Amino acid sequence: MRIDVVSIFPSYFDGLTLSLLGRARSTGILDLNVHDLRDWTHDRHRTVDDTPYGGGAGMVMKPEPWGAALDDLVSREPVAARPTIIFPSPAGEVFTQATARELSTREHLVFGCGRYEGIDERVFEYAADLGEVRLVSLGDYVLNGGEVATMAMIEAVGRLIPGVVGNPESLVEESHEDGLLEYPSYTKPSSWRERTVPDVLLSGNHAAIATWRRDQQIERTRRRRPDLLPDA
Ligand code: 6GU
């Protein structure tokens, strides 16, 4: 998979060279390129924002650098090869594990990280001529820009690409993959500061362990995230 990120703070993404995704990058599974939006400006001050038409607080990102960046990164490929262009936005659809699964099947993702009060609306319209545009939010709270959201999305998507996570089975039993939260985990010692591991986990009875874990998943989900359970 190829991923291009456009941001005025490219160094935010230095962390993606670490650990799992770093290895995926060095083995070639993931071709991740981070770009500075200011490289597509032409004035002395490398200006990327301006005041909003109609007035109001804050600044809006100018369309010209975005247009030039998209032109360079999205070669006018045949329709089938067009990228998915993601603009992180608190006004977007909410990003879920299903979104991550869907995006993990794409050949080319482009993330456009906005700052200030947003990006000139015409950029989204123009991008729609070049690929599939998605405005995506991490959840119902406000961040200062799209960078942290993009990091989260790249990590969630990246680990689903075949070969990125060493043991594919570790992807299966996780929170959200089956619509339930994960069961609790324990390791040695079996007694620690007077707290013991549930007996069933030491029993060697695999059927009983599976039942206990499932019950724990349902109970945790009911307590912490009742919104994830079907109404029945
Ligand atoms: Cl994707 N962007 C910003 N700026 N704030 C957010 C968000 C995204 N998701 C939640 N809050």
Side-chain angles (χ1 to χ4, degrees):
M1 177 188 285
R2 172 179 162 198
I3 299 180
D4 288 289
V5 178
V6 181
S7 163
I8 58 168
F9 295 120
S11 49
Y12 256 99
F13 300 92
D14 290 352
L16 292 178
T17 58
L18 303 170
S19 181
L20 219 60
L21 290 186
R23 196 176 55 96
R25 289 177 77 179
S26 49
T27 61
I29 296 174
L30 185 60
D31 175 21
L32 176 63
N33 308 280
V34 181
H35 311 272
D36 188 340
L37 179 67
R38 292 188 201 277
D39 290 347
W40 285 282
T41 60
H42 301 291
D43 64 308
R44 217 157 44 85
H45 300 291
R46 311 184 86 201
T47 311
V48 293
D49 63 326
D50 206 336
T51 53
Y53 276 121
M59 300 289 269
V60 175
M61 294 191 106
K62 295 164 60 61
E64 300 96 321
W66 283 109
L70 290 170
D71 287 342
D72 279 354
L73 298 177
V74 180
S75 50
R76 294 184 178 268
E77 290 149 308
V79 180
R82 288 191 184 173
T84 298
I85 305 169
I86 299 151
F87 292 101
S89 165
E93 56 172 312
V94 175
F95 183 81
T96 66
Q97 190 65 22
T99 319
R101 279 250 165 249
E102 189 190 345
L103 295 178
S104 73
T105 66
R106 302 291 197 269
E107 278 304 318
H108 186 195
L109 303 180
V110 177
F111 287 90
C113 300
R115 280 264 151 182
Y116 313 107
E117 301 309 306
I119 302 174
D120 187 301
E121 188 69 18
R122 293 166 292 181
V123 172
F124 308 120
E125 298 167 13
Y126 180 71
D129 290 339
L130 304 176
E132 177 204 14
V133 171
R134 304 275 290 263
L135 270 67
V136 184
S137 168
L138 282 197
D140 294 335
Y141 46 86
V142 179
L143 304 170
N144 283 334
E147 282 78 8
V148 168
T150 294
M151 294 272 286
M153 290 190 261
I154 289 174
E155 186 156 313
V157 170
R159 59 194 294 288
L160 297 177
I161 301 169
V164 171
V165 168
N167 176 8
E169 270 189 49
S170 66
L171 293 174
V172 177
E173 284 197 4
E174 286 172 321
S175 293
H176 299 295
E177 278 295 342
D178 60 3
L180 295 172
L181 303 185
E182 250 184 302
Y183 53 76
S185 300
Y186 300 87
T187 186
K188 291 175 275 300
S190 64
S191 178
W192 175 71
R193 301 193 180 186
E194 309 219 316
R195 295 162 191 275
T196 56
V197 172
D199 286 336
V200 63
L201 297 178
L202 311 175
S203 70
N205 181 338
H206 298 295
I209 292 169
T211 302
W212 181 86
R213 285 178 167 168
R214 194 72 183 171
D215 289 347
Q216 290 288 314
Q217 284 191 281
I218 293 164
E219 184 53 20
R220 285 189 151 191
T221 308
R222 193 184 64 74
R223 279 175 193 270
R224 297 177 186 171
R225 293 294 307 277
D227 56 298
L228 295 179
L229 290 175
D231 289 329

